[in-house]
């Protein structure tokens, strides 16, 4: 009898344990891949977080059993928390996290198993829904989707229509970087404005755009450093010509770019499409006085396209509700209405190509000289060259900025400055 009672007690304890584990394991995790349920937490920042919050209502129409909590952080705080959580193997991490594309390779290098391979859950069927350059930015070396594409930043040259008219410069005549320089000289003589802003010791974004036009980043497709390449020398050579002609405003950071835009001290700003929102917001009095043309090429008929910025969504592999997390990521990045919501309210240019036929993209914009500027950007998305961005991007950018400062401010030769940067980066990569 005692033996029988003991056996019954053991069975009861095992049953209670199983029930307890089932309850704990399914907290915020019930449902399946077709009918997810539970609660997920999403991390983002600023207007990106606001867009995701606004999209939750439509998401829950399709997935009523999933509750979504969007947490809005300062971007630097988000990355700090994410790094600490990944290092602690999942402690305190969200189910979905927003990340700038340029940071993805660094996180994959440091935490190779830190995020789900979304193609294993079916995301690869959307490969043709985005431009090739964006797809390349969210895949690992094996071609797995580590992130789902969200916004992008096809680049162009924003320009002051009234300055160009005063200098009798036709923007359509600017086909090459040499054309751009000659136009800048005329505009400066007529208006006193410099041609473009560059924070010389701290910002190499114009150099990056020029490199992407040539199909390169700081690295080629095989991962070899390109700072000493003929393409890099050609790009930095153009920047030096701009500086030697007195056409560069050596501004200070982001605030310096915005200030130069507002006060009219520059005639153009080469940047990503998302800067249109900043111009409209910061300089409402200049309505009708701005427009855009494509980046100049290095030779007539050459590539005039590049990308500046962009972000994507990832699912940490420690998520306790992967089905619901994937459902949110899939919906948010492939639902046309959600993509247009971010564009209309906050100027976030979507990656999803099917959105580009919407009236918001094809219509003329009164602020930008009644020009269909967003259609101009949408038309070039597929033509942006793919480039190789890896975990050493931040080091490479800092060293290139240093080289730029030495070349422009200390009269170092282009070849020598870039050769030194190449050697320094080679040493950094070896560490």
């Amino acid at each position: 009898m005692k033996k029988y009672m003991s056996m019954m007690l053991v069975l009861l304890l095992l049953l209670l344990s199983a029930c307890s584990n089932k309850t704990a394991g399914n907290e915020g995790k019930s449902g399946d891949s077709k009918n997810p349920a539970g609660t997920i937490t999403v991390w983002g920042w600023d207007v990106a977080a606001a867009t995701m919050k606004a999209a939750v209502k439509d998401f829950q129409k399709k997935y009523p059993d999933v509750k979504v909590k969007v947490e809005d952080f300062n971007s630097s705080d988000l990355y700090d928390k994410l790094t600490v959580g990944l290092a602690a193997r999942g402690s305190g991490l969200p189910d979905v996290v927003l990340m700038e594309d340029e940071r993805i390779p660094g996180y994959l290098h440091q935490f190779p198993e830190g995020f789900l391979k979304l193609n294993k859950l079916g995301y690869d069927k959307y490969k043709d829904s985005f431009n090739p350059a964006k797809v390349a930015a969210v895949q690992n070396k094996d071609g797995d989707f580590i992130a789902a594409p969200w916004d992008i930043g096809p680049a162009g040259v924003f320009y002051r229509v009234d300055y160009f008219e005063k200098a009798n410069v036709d923007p359509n005549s600017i086909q090459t970087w040499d054309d751009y320089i000659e136009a800048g000289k005329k505009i400066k003589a007529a208006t006193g404005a410099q041609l473009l802003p560059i924070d010389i010791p701290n910002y190499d974004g114009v150099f990056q755009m020029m490199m992407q036009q040539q199909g390169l980043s700081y690295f080629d497709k095989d991962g070899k450093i390109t700072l000493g390449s003929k393409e890099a020398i050609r790009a930095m050579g153009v920047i030096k010509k701009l500086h030697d002609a007195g056409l560069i405003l050596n501004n200070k950071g982001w605030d310096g770019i915005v200030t130069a835009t507002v006060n009219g001290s520059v005639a153009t700003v080469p940047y990503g499409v998302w800067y249109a929102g900043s111009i409209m917001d910061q300089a409402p009095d200049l309505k009708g006085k701005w427009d855009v043309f494509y980046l100049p090429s290095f030779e007539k008929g050459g590539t005039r396209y590049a990308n500046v910025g962009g972000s994507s969504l990832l699912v940490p592999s420690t998520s306790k509700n992967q089905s619901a997390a994937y459902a949110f990521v899939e919906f948010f990045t492939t639902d046309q209405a959600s993509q247009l919501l971010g564009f209309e309210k906050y100027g976030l240019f979507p990656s999803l190509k099917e959105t580009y036929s919407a009236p918001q993209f094809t219509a003329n914009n009164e602020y930008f000289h009644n020009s269909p500027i967003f259609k101009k950007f949408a038309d070039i998305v597929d033509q942006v060259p793919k480039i190789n961005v890896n975990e050493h991007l931040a080091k490479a950018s800092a060293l290139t900025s240093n080289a730029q400062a030495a070349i422009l401010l200390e009269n170092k030769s282009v070849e020598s400055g870039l050769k030194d940067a190449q050697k320094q980066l080679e040493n950094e990569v070896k560490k």
Side-chain angles (χ1 to χ4, degrees):
M1 184 69 178
K2 286 184 178 180
K3 183 177 180 180
Y4 174 77
M5 291 296 292
S6 297
M7 289 176 64
M8 290 296 294
L9 182 60
V10 169
L11 287 171
L12 181 61
L13 289 172
L14 286 172
L15 181 61
L16 288 172
S17 176
C19 291
S20 175
N21 287 336
K22 184 178 180 181
T23 302
N26 281 298
E27 185 177 350
K29 190 184 175 182
S30 57
D32 54 41
S33 59
K34 293 184 179 180
N35 299 292
T39 301
I40 59 170
T41 300
V42 180
W43 284 2
W45 62 81
D46 197 38
V47 295
T51 302
M52 288 189 283
K53 287 179 181 177
V56 169
K57 184 177 180 180
D58 284 342
F59 169 75
Q60 289 183 320
K61 290 179 182 177
K62 185 173 182 179
Y63 299 102
D65 296 326
V66 179
K67 294 182 180 179
V68 182
K69 181 182 180 183
V70 178
E71 297 185 352
D72 185 355
F73 296 94
N74 174 284
S75 61
S76 60
D77 291 340
L78 181 149
Y79 289 124
D80 287 344
K81 287 174 67 68
L82 179 63
T83 302
V84 170
L86 289 167
R89 299 186 178 183
S91 177
L93 288 178
D95 299 283
V96 178
V97 63
L98 178 71
M99 187 180 294
E100 292 161 300
D101 292 346
E102 64 184 36
R103 290 186 179 252
I104 293 174
Y107 273 95
L108 290 185
H109 177 74
Q110 191 173 2
F111 307 103
E113 302 300 325
F115 304 96
L116 292 186
K117 296 173 181 176
L118 301 181
N119 50 296
K120 304 297 184 184
L121 299 173
Y123 201 83
D124 51 335
K125 66 187 175 187
Y126 299 110
K127 183 176 181 179
D128 294 334
S129 298
F130 310 98
N131 75 81
K134 181 68 174 184
V135 170
V138 299
Q139 290 179 318
N140 64 13
K141 294 177 181 178
D142 297 323
D144 296 308
F145 272 90
I146 299 299
W150 183 16
D151 68 309
I152 53 174
V157 180
F158 295 94
Y159 74 95
R160 281 287 296 266
V161 174
D162 51 337
Y163 286 8
F164 274 59
E165 290 177 346
K166 188 172 183 180
N168 196 29
V169 172
D170 179 2
N172 294 318
S173 70
I174 300 176
Q175 300 292 315
T176 67
W177 287 108
D178 286 338
D179 295 338
Y180 182 63
I181 292 169
E182 292 307 309
K185 293 175 182 177
K186 293 178 183 178
I187 293 166
K188 186 175 182 181
T191 67
Q194 288 164 289
L195 189 57
L196 75 162
I198 298 178
D199 185 350
I200 292 172
N202 302 301
Y203 176 70
D204 69 334
V206 175
F207 174 84
Q208 287 188 49
M209 285 183 253
M210 291 177 171
M211 288 294 280
Q212 185 165 19
Q213 286 180 282
Q214 302 174 87
L216 295 171
S217 69
Y218 309 102
F219 308 89
D220 65 17
K221 61 183 177 62
D222 298 317
K224 295 179 181 178
I225 299 169
T226 62
L227 293 182
S229 67
K230 67 180 187 300
E231 291 88 355
I233 291 170
R234 180 159 65 165
M236 192 63 76
V238 170
I239 294 172
K240 180 170 170 51
K241 285 181 182 179
L242 286 162
H243 183 264
D244 290 349
L247 300 178
I248 293 177
L249 174 66
N250 187 11
N251 67 284
K252 299 297 181 184
W254 169 259
D255 290 342
I257 294 175
V258 173
T259 298
T261 301
V262 173
N263 67 22
S265 55
V266 295
T268 74
V269 182
Y271 231 156
V273 58
W274 41 264
Y275 194 60
S278 296
I279 298 176
M280 289 187 284
D281 180 59
Q282 296 296 321
D285 295 343
L286 296 177
K287 180 179 180 180
K289 294 183 178 181
W290 283 95
D291 202 345
V292 69
F293 58 85
Y294 296 136
L295 294 173
S297 60
F298 285 95
E299 64 278 316
K300 286 186 178 180
T303 300
R304 302 184 64 177
Y305 316 118
N307 185 81
V308 180
S311 58
S312 302
L313 297 180
L314 299 87
V315 178
S317 55
T318 53
S319 169
K320 292 182 173 61
N321 198 342
Q322 295 179 4
S323 294
Y326 175 76
F328 180 80
V329 166
E330 180 185 43
F331 177 86
F332 186 69
T333 58
T334 63
D335 176 65
Q336 185 174 14
S338 297
Q339 292 277 294
L340 289 173
L341 177 66
F343 173 70
E344 290 183 273
K345 292 193 70 173
Y346 304 110
L348 296 168
F349 199 87
S351 298
L352 189 65
K353 292 193 294 183
E354 69 181 64
T355 60
Y356 302 156
S357 59
Q360 297 91 320
F361 285 91
T362 58
N364 292 338
N365 188 293
E366 289 186 9
Y367 185 94
F368 287 97
H369 202 229
N370 205 35
S371 170
I373 71 155
F374 296 114
K375 183 180 187 303
K376 291 180 183 179
F377 283 110
D379 286 345
I380 68 170
V381 163
D382 274 342
Q383 300 177 64
V384 174
K386 292 191 292 185
I387 56 174
N388 177 19
V389 177
N390 64 27
E391 67 272 17
H392 304 297
L393 181 142
K395 293 176 183 177
S397 179
L399 290 172
T400 304
S401 296
N402 291 343
Q404 180 173 262
I407 292 164
L408 303 188
L409 305 179
E410 300 170 15
N411 207 30
K412 200 168 190 176
S413 73
V414 171
E415 292 81 359
S416 178
L418 289 174
K419 184 178 179 181
D420 288 347
Q422 171 101 9
K423 288 182 178 178
Q424 287 179 272
L425 185 55
E426 287 172 351
N427 291 331
E428 290 288 331
V429 169
K430 290 176 183 177
K431 291 179 180 178

